[in-house]
Amino acid sequence: MPAAPFPERERIDARDKVLGATAYAADIPLPGLLYAMMVPATTPKGRVETVAVEGAMQVRGVVRVLTAFDFPALPGPPPTPATEIAYRGQPVALVVAETLEAAIEGAEAVRATYAGQAFVPLIDSPGAARELVQPKKAGNAQAAMAGAATTIEASYVSPAQHHNPMEMLSTTAVWRDGKLTIYEGTQSASLVRANVAIALHLDPAVVEVKSAQVGGAFGQKIPLQRQTPIVALAAILIGRPVKLVLPRAQIFHNAVFRPKSRHQVALGADAGGKLTAIRYDADHQQSRKGTLEPGYHESPPRMYGVADYDGTAAHVRIDTQDPGAMRAPYPHPAQFAFESAVDELAHKLGRDPVAFRLAHQATTDPISGNPLSSCFLNDCLTEGARRFGWERRPIAQGAMVEPDGTLVGWGVAAGGYPANVSPTIATLRVSADGRTRFAVAGHEMGQGIRTVIAQLLQRELDVDPARLEIAIGDTAAAPQHTTASSRGTVSVGAAVTAAAAKMRAAMAELIGQRSIAGNIHRQLATVRRPFLQVEVSTLGPGQDAGALDRLRAGARAAAGPEYPQFTSFSYIAHFVEVRVEPSTRRVRVPRVVSIADCGRVVSPRTAASQVRGGVVWAIGAALREETEVDPRFGGWLNADLADYVVPVNADIGDIDVGFVDRPDPLFNAVGSKGLGEVAMVGAAAAIANAVFHATGTRVRKMPLRIEDLL
Amino acid sequence: MKPFTYARPNSAAEAVKAFAAAGRDARYIAGGTTLYDLMKLGIERPEHLIDVTAIRGLDRIETGGDRLRFEALAPMSAVAADPVVGRDYPVLAEALAKAASQQLRNMATVGGNLLQRTRCLYFRNGAGNPSSVGVYPCNKREPGAGCAAIGGLDRGQAVLGQSEACTAVSPGDWPVALTAMDAAVEVLGPSGARAIPIAELYRLPGATPHLEFMLAPGEMITAITVPKTPAGRRSTYHKIRDRESYAFALASAAVALEMEGERVTRAHIALGGVATRPWRATEAEQMLAGQPLTAAVSLAAGRAAFAGARPGRHNGFKIELGARTVADALMIAARRSA
Ligand SMILES: Cc1cc2nc3c(=O)[nH]c(=O)nc-3n(C[C@H](O)[C@H](O)[C@H](O)COP(=O)(O)OP(=O)(O)OC[C@H]3O[C@@H](n4cnc5c(N)ncnc54)[C@H](O)[C@@H]3O)c2cc1C
């Protein structure tokens, strides 16, 4: 029985954002604030021999210059200035000054000399070190492939990319009365606290991290940021608050990024045209010591119920900064490859690519052998095809031509993304004076987590929305999970439901048999109770209390997508129309229909906007974005927003978003699964598939550019 | 960034005087939309800025008489929106409207636009300072240092007019349209006023790519003039880029046609995004004269425009793209009524 949909409610922070009133970390006014600028290494690899700071100290207004020699020596690579340079742009010094201008001028005056070393710039450069990880296998793909009647095999490439949220990386640190407070945009306030404490030999108890508003993150702000301990130490040594906002080019060089990855996919179908075998080898760009797993086998095995799966994966270690998670880190590149390959197979079989996918409903996870908690991908495909008008699609390529020669193509592709969850500790306080405070884990990165919390809370309790404070992104409010892997809504949703239930029980106990009029605040006032406060903790399926300890320690505490009894994924289907100009071959994307299965949709407005944003990301990925390295020099060449080409409004057409909105019966009480990342998964392949349908040209790399179609 | 002095004269004559007094390391500044960027990137390091925006009456747009005259301080957005320019010279209006963003066009001046510097990645991102990080040799930035773009990631580089020392593209759209329309630039300098045909304002890189403009030190641009021509109405600026808006050209063509029936009597064609200076496509112009304008003829003209092109490693596609851009521009212009 499908429950009634959640009501459409506006974002609770929209007005402030439109007015520019939202205060991000770098906007917090502080008395006595000093400004900092980082000095980036100008060599791609080597050792710092000298750092001359005299020139900088002579600049009027410069207060202090910190170099590697100011930091406590630690085993392992500290996230501080170091004398070993592993990549171009690595911090060599921090100049702190009374004004931003002086800090910049001082940073320009710092002179470092290096003993350069040979470096390996690209994954196909000599010296790139391949390092296989544990393969992912199910059944016997080799035998299935050998028995296949039809096979295809192809390789696909996904480029290095940078997240480029609008909010620059920044850190503001305050050291007062033996306490360190850090303001910065992060997805992981507790992790920042734990790691800054380690880097600076501090007791975590004296460190607080505040990240009330984040101006976009997309995974860039998951790990400890390179500058954070450096700025914190500067504040401690100088005894005044210090703020650093990294210039965009330094962000390109120091932030994590989406590594370049290569994908070799082979598919086999039996005589009846059923997909029976998948072989998929993936590798990706990795730094010398980086840890981001080549986890590309997350989604492909969970899409079409294929029992025989053979997956290998490898790091390719070169000299670069650490790569990291960028929106749908594995499923986006993996599904670009896999869903392109599925399209190639359907084409070879002469099958309609929607009908082909519909014939492969998944019910179990071949990797774990457990059932999928829910998979409504076929509903996504059916509804998407209906809205798009797919039945009018000619199967041949190049068959839809406008009078002016414009080639029209329609493509489809699907995506999957793990349904993850984090344990949560939350405090709910409802006061007689009308106030409500809910303190929980979560970071507001623009995805709308506050709106989700407000939406759920108002459904559960009759609280006054105008006086609702949602305290998140703050280590002083509650232990903060890493708000990533699309687990935010699911995790806080569980906490809200649990806290509200406990609050209702506490109210019932307080009020007893009496019948008291008014909302919860009035009821408290009537019984002369200033406030009621409850604390709850929640766990993911199969988790034990150890997960809460890890959460408190700022360590990895989340679970998914494999749970003891089942595996959980969100799904999506994208339908794309492209128009390819006849002569100069510009590719336009006038319309997209995307239908998602994320279980219950708890906040329709922010959910639809997540999907629209995800599709925009995919349009950027498929047609534009790539960060490039000149192998002779290392570092990133197009390290600015003029040359790292993201889409602009004029590139985006109509994006029609729909949801299946059926609850997942097993994953959690609300029935919801994650959405923020699955939103973009598969959409890049749908674009490439549409381009194939329009032109007959199969482009197996992103970005697909004019020159690929000329 | 380093400290600089700042003056805000009230007349062009005063500005020229202030420049002469300040000496070599002075720069005029108008909208500041590109000079400030270059200063942050460590490329321009002026000691003195002479802000010309307080000068009154240097932003007029005159469309009467036998020529158009745009004073140097007219904002790009104002010229782009001028009804006469839009109706009679779409090539000019479009070249402005397809550049940068509305916010930038509101600040940027049509005079400052002429002197913007290349967007070559190695030039802009290679000064090794905290805002640009990269360290790339560049003859334009540092004469004699060498050119990293040659043999590098040269997808954006020029295929026409490049030298052993430099392959950087001349980035502006407006100068390309002005080149097609035989514009001239009025300047005021320490030794008086003069007019320069736009074709003579820009240098080829040759062995001295750091020298880009044929302006004497301290010369200030005061106005741009465009002789009126009936070809103006049958004109267009066609710009192909990596996204629909807010990007420099991969290839562009400014085209204006005089026609008799189906036949071209005179063609104006200039190329952008592909050459080291705004590039007049004389061969293509000559080839078209007297021809009926068919799709095949326009493509042949496009090919003729690139007959002398030389590809680098990754920009060979610009030759075909550029030819097709010219061909499309010709057909768009021809469809417009005179
Ligand atoms: C993000 C971005 C995107 C852009 N995209 C495009 C594009 O697509 N196409 C395009 O054509 N342009 C583009 N531009 C460039 C833009 O058009 C120029 O920055 C602008 O036209 C410069 O005008 P300004 O008045 O701001 O010049 P300023 O920055 O003030 O000055 C530029 C130069 O001209 C000199 N100068 C200024 N005025 C005078 C004068 N009267 N006499 C003598 N010297 C003078 C200055 O000394 C300086 O060297 C872009 C710029 C940006 C920042």
Side-chain angles (χ1 to χ4, degrees), chain A residues 108 583 630 632 646 707, chain B residues 1 122 148 155 243 324 328:
Chain A
E108 288 174 357
S583 53
D630 183 325
R632 299 167 303 166
V646 298
E707 57 263 43
Chain B
M1 287 276 265
Y122 295 93
R155 176 175 185 266
R243 60 186 168 204
R324 295 188 194 181
D328 284 359

Side-chain angles (χ1 to χ4, degrees), chain A residues 163 218-219 258 325-329 332 610-611 613-614 617 676-677 679-680:
Chain A
H163 313 67
F218 310 107
R258 188 195 296 284
M326 176 161 151
R327 198 173 196 176
H332 159 64
Q610 278 295 297
V611 177
W617 266 58
E677 289 167 278
M680 83 176 289

Side-chain angles (χ1 to χ4, degrees), chain A residues 37-38 40 42 88-89 104-105 107-108 247 249-250 253 583-586 588 624 628-630 632-634 636-641 643 645-646 648 650-651 705-707 710, chain B residues 1-3 40 45 119 121-122 125 128-137 148-153 155 238-246 250 317 320-321 324-325 328:
Chain A
M37 182 51 60
M38 212 146 81
T42 53
R88 185 183 289 281
I104 295 171
E105 198 188 340
E108 288 174 357
Q250 289 201 35
H253 285 82
S583 53
T584 48
R585 296 278 160 167
R586 283 180 289 188
R588 270 99 175 205
R624 295 187 172 86
E628 295 177 279
V629 178
D630 183 325
R632 299 167 303 166
F633 299 95
W636 305 101
L637 181 59
N638 54 334
D640 63 49
L641 283 183
D643 300 297
V645 189
V646 298
V648 293
D651 293 309
R705 286 180 169 156
I706 284 175
E707 57 263 43
L710 269 181
Chain B
M1 287 276 265
K2 61 173 193 179
K40 289 180 196 165
R45 301 179 64 80
R119 310 300 289 198
L121 291 163
Y122 295 93
N125 298 339
N129 84 345
S131 302
S132 59
V133 181
V135 184
Y136 305 109
I150 295 174
L153 302 180
R155 176 175 185 266
H238 193 48
K239 180 175 177 184
I240 308 298
R241 35 189 161 168
D242 277 323
R243 60 186 168 204
E244 206 67 8
S245 165
Y246 205 8
L250 284 171
F317 77 98
E320 182 61 23
L321 180 68
R324 295 188 194 181
T325 304
D328 284 359

Side-chain angles (χ1 to χ4, degrees), chain A residues 185-200:
Chain A
T186 174
Q187 298 173 249
S188 313
S190 289
L191 177 146
V192 174
R193 170 206 238 180
N195 284 295
V196 167
I198 292 169
L200 301 182

Side-chain angles (χ1 to χ4, degrees), chain A residues 127-140:
Chain A
R130 222 179 129 78
E131 183 184 303
L132 277 165
V133 303
Q134 199 64 25
K136 268 270 191 307
K137 285 183 197 289
N140 186 343

